[in-house]
Amino acid sequence: MKLELRGITKRFPGVLANDSVDLEVESGQILGLLGENGAGKTTLMNILYGLYSADEGQILIDDAVQDFQSPGDAIDAGIGMVHQHFMLVPVFSVAENVVLGVEPTREAGVLDMKKARDDVTEISTKYGLAVDPNAMVEDLPVGIQQRVEIIKVLFRDAEIIIFDEPTAVLTPQEVEEFFGIVRSLRDGGAGIIFITHKLKEVLEIADRIEVLRRGAVVGAAIPGEVSDEQLAELMVGRPVELTVAKEEAEPGEPVVEVADLMVLDDRSHVAVNNVSFEVRAGEIVGIAGVQGNGQSELVEALTGLRPALSGTVKLGGADITDDTPREVHQERVAHVPEDRQRSGLVMPFTIAENLVLNTYYDPPYSKGVAMDWGETRTTAESLVKQYDIRTPSIDVSVANLSGGNQQKVVLGKWLNSKPEVFILDEPTRGIDIGAKVEIYKLLNELIDQGVTVIMISSELPEILGMCDRILVMCEGRIVSNFERDDAEKETIMAYATGSA
């Protein structure tokens, strides 16, 4: 099967999202589609998948022009898409999610769940996608949920599969497993479009690379014939530093002190088990570990979002263990959450409204019970410019921004409040290389100002590159503590996985 996009152009009010894009991918090939946040990658794939209509251009399959009016048309033509944010029903089983909309039936239209389970088992066995067809999706880790999405696509006989930022929520181990799955799909004859902004990943997995910048194809490359630096320059349009020098910290007195902290998860199981540590002014302490080992519950306890079962959290010597999120924020603590869409933004609100979510009740944005929209708009315009948030207007709903630009809104909102403690949970998830470097520079500036930073990240290069000290969590406990100069990737992973 051969898929071609010819001259695809898509306009939104004030934005040229795709500009005469030509792409081609065939069965048995992995095409890496690389570009920074807002480059037009997802818009282009939404056109291919029938979610949007192109203003100009054509989609061809085996030289025949297609007219996709809906995702159903694209699926019927052999195209499948695994979205960045999974499209699963949490309270359904794996098998129920896979067959949803195309359910196998017996006589009299009765749902044949045995066939559904058998089909899931057959596909998972064929492609090495180990998953229990009877498991409830809400009980599955993110990496297994992604396998369910892939099985959904294969169940519908997709020959061309689009992966939109597929590693954004995966741990390093899950990424390696996922790459093996993608290669097996290619070797089985599928054509793959792999959308990403991660240079090392596209160089590792792709057979060919096309680079989008501001909606247009600006270059092509073959892995092995191009460097990280060359790809980064194509993406951003200028030379980019791929690393940011981290100066030696000169920490002050302890600011955050956690003692014997115990926290339960949503199922009343112990998620944080007798954790103690301190973070001093002017240092970055990283918390590393495989996702799901208590990091999120720890952050929620530190920021007032989850009650502590026992133990204490102190800020500047004052006990804030039982404070509400607003009280914690008023102590100048900022929190960039792991899931920006669920916890960091109000998706239907505008960019301007989201940028003052944490300060709308204070002057100059509040005048008694009324909002000062003039001040709000002035601040929003300034922050959009300062942090290069790609949008035609501050009145655009934040839901219409790319994931990376949504993250910039979250960061801008908190940086505007001049925090003294900054807690960042997966701060660069879904962020392109140019924006990552800017975030790292901002962190260095915060440290120079004496701000205390706690950073939770599943990206070990990020932790190793930016943190002065590294705590490793496994099964709810701090199992090791490394100084920056003593930390090594292999050792950290051994502790994080419980194999040390």
Side-chain angles (χ1 to χ4, degrees):
M1 182 174 178
K2 180 181 178 181
L3 170 70
E4 293 179 83
L5 305 182
R6 294 182 184 171
I8 297 294
T9 297
K10 181 65 178 178
R11 301 178 183 87
F12 296 104
V15 178
L16 180 58
N18 293 135
D19 185 7
S20 299
V21 174
D22 295 332
L23 285 180
E24 180 180 310
V25 65
E26 297 183 7
S27 298
Q29 182 183 77
I30 300 174
L31 170 66
L33 187 58
L34 185 66
E36 61 180 335
N37 300 122
K41 306 183 300 294
T42 299
T43 297
L44 186 66
M45 292 304 103
N46 284 338
I47 291 170
L48 174 56
Y49 196 56
L51 288 165
Y52 295 159
S53 296
D55 296 322
E56 299 170 19
Q58 294 178 322
I59 300 171
L60 296 91
I61 294 178
D62 294 333
D63 298 322
V65 176
Q66 307 295 309
D67 181 21
F68 298 156
Q69 298 296 315
S70 70
D73 294 340
I75 291 169
D76 291 342
I79 296 170
M81 185 169 181
V82 177
H83 299 266
Q84 181 178 357
H85 301 287
F86 301 153
M87 304 292 184
L88 299 172
V89 181
V91 296
F92 281 13
S93 71
V94 169
E96 288 168 337
N97 269 280
V98 168
V99 303
L100 187 61
V102 286
E103 296 86 349
T105 57
R106 298 192 301 250
E107 296 177 6
V110 176
L111 177 62
D112 190 346
M113 279 309 302
K114 181 181 184 304
K115 186 176 189 316
R117 289 189 291 267
D118 290 346
D119 287 345
V120 169
T121 300
E122 181 181 348
I123 293 170
S124 64
T125 301
K126 179 178 178 180
Y127 292 98
L129 297 162
V131 63
D132 178 3
N134 296 308
M136 301 300 292
V137 163
E138 63 184 352
D139 296 333
L140 299 176
V142 171
I144 303 300
Q145 289 187 29
Q146 187 178 64
R147 294 184 182 189
V148 179
E149 285 280 20
I150 296 170
I151 292 171
K152 273 176 57 180
V153 167
L154 295 171
F155 182 78
R156 289 157 177 78
D157 298 320
E159 296 181 59
I160 300 290
I161 304 174
I162 306 162
F163 289 102
D164 188 4
E165 300 286 0
T167 66
V169 294
L170 301 183
T171 65
Q173 302 99 308
E174 289 171 333
V175 169
E176 288 304 314
E177 293 172 4
F178 172 69
F179 281 177
I181 291 167
V182 172
R183 292 187 183 104
S184 72
L185 292 171
R186 175 198 60 192
D187 295 344
I192 308 290
I193 301 176
F194 190 99
I195 305 171
T196 187
H197 59 262
K198 297 182 178 181
L199 302 176
K200 293 188 182 301
E201 289 186 358
V202 76
L203 286 168
E204 180 177 346
I205 194 66
D207 299 311
R208 291 190 301 112
I209 301 169
E210 299 276 354
V211 182
L212 279 181
R213 185 171 74 241
R214 295 191 179 265
V217 174
V218 294
I222 302 295
E225 300 177 4
V226 65
S227 68
D228 293 18
E229 290 78 10
Q230 289 170 320
L231 281 179
E233 185 170 348
L234 274 176
M235 282 175 62
V236 180
R238 65 179 189 280
V240 178
E241 301 175 63
L242 296 182
T243 58
V244 175
K246 174 69 172 66
E247 296 182 4
E248 198 68 31
E250 297 182 5
E253 295 298 313
V255 174
V256 178
E257 298 171 274
V258 178
D260 305 320
L261 190 65
M262 301 277 287
V263 182
L264 302 180
D265 63 17
D266 292 337
R267 299 184 178 189
S268 297
H269 298 151
V270 174
V272 178
N273 192 352
N274 199 36
V275 164
S276 300
F277 64 92
E278 66 178 30
V279 188
R280 295 164 292 178
E283 73 170 344
I284 303 178
V285 169
I287 299 178
V290 177
Q291 194 171 24
N293 276 263
Q295 302 96 313
S296 294
E297 290 83 0
L298 173 60
V299 169
E300 290 170 356
L302 297 180
T303 54
L305 290 166
R306 184 178 293 271
L309 183 65
S310 61
T312 58
V313 178
K314 291 184 178 180
L315 183 65
D319 193 330
I320 64 166
T321 311
D322 298 321
D323 283 6
T324 65
R326 180 174 289 192
E327 289 170 337
V328 173
H329 165 53
Q330 289 173 335
E331 294 291 339
R332 307 289 291 279
V333 177
H335 171 215
V336 175
E338 176 185 14
D339 188 333
R340 56 181 167 259
Q341 293 193 352
R342 187 180 70 178
S343 306
L345 301 164
V346 178
M347 299 303 285
F349 281 17
T350 66
I351 294 169
E353 290 167 333
N354 272 281
L355 283 168
V356 297
L357 273 181
N358 58 333
T359 48
Y360 72 90
Y361 43 80
D362 289 329
Y365 312 113
S366 172
K367 289 184 175 180
V369 296
M371 285 284 293
D372 187 329
W373 288 107
E375 286 289 348
T376 298
R377 295 182 65 83
T378 298
T379 296
E381 294 282 8
S382 174
L383 293 174
V384 163
K385 183 177 180 180
Q386 183 176 355
Y387 298 112
D388 191 26
I389 299 169
R390 305 281 177 85
T391 176
S393 165
I394 61 172
D395 298 315
V396 168
S397 166
V398 78
N400 293 332
L401 298 182
S402 67
N405 282 297
Q406 289 176 1
Q407 188 77 340
K408 290 180 185 178
V409 172
V410 177
L411 284 162
K413 171 185 71 176
W414 285 114
L415 288 166
N416 187 50
S417 67
K418 305 296 188 291
E420 294 178 2
V421 176
F422 216 140
I423 301 173
L424 303 106
D425 194 353
E426 303 289 354
T428 63
R429 176 172 287 169
I431 295 289
D432 63 62
I433 185 63
K436 272 188 179 183
V437 170
E438 292 304 315
I439 290 172
Y440 298 154
K441 288 179 179 178
L442 284 170
L443 290 178
N444 279 337
E445 291 172 8
L446 291 173
I447 291 303
D448 290 342
Q449 297 163 18
V451 173
T452 301
V453 177
I454 300 173
M455 184 166 73
I456 295 86
S457 177
S458 56
E459 291 197 30
L460 280 183
E462 182 168 85
I463 288 280
L464 291 166
M466 290 305 300
C467 297
D468 303 301
R469 289 190 294 123
I470 301 168
L471 310 177
V472 185
M473 284 193 78
C474 180
E475 296 182 352
R477 295 178 180 272
I478 300 291
V479 294
S480 191
N481 184 344
F482 295 95
E483 294 294 328
R484 174 186 174 87
D485 293 339
D486 299 328
E488 295 182 355
K489 180 178 178 180
E490 292 76 14
T491 308
I492 291 175
M493 284 308 304
Y495 278 102
T497 57
S499 59

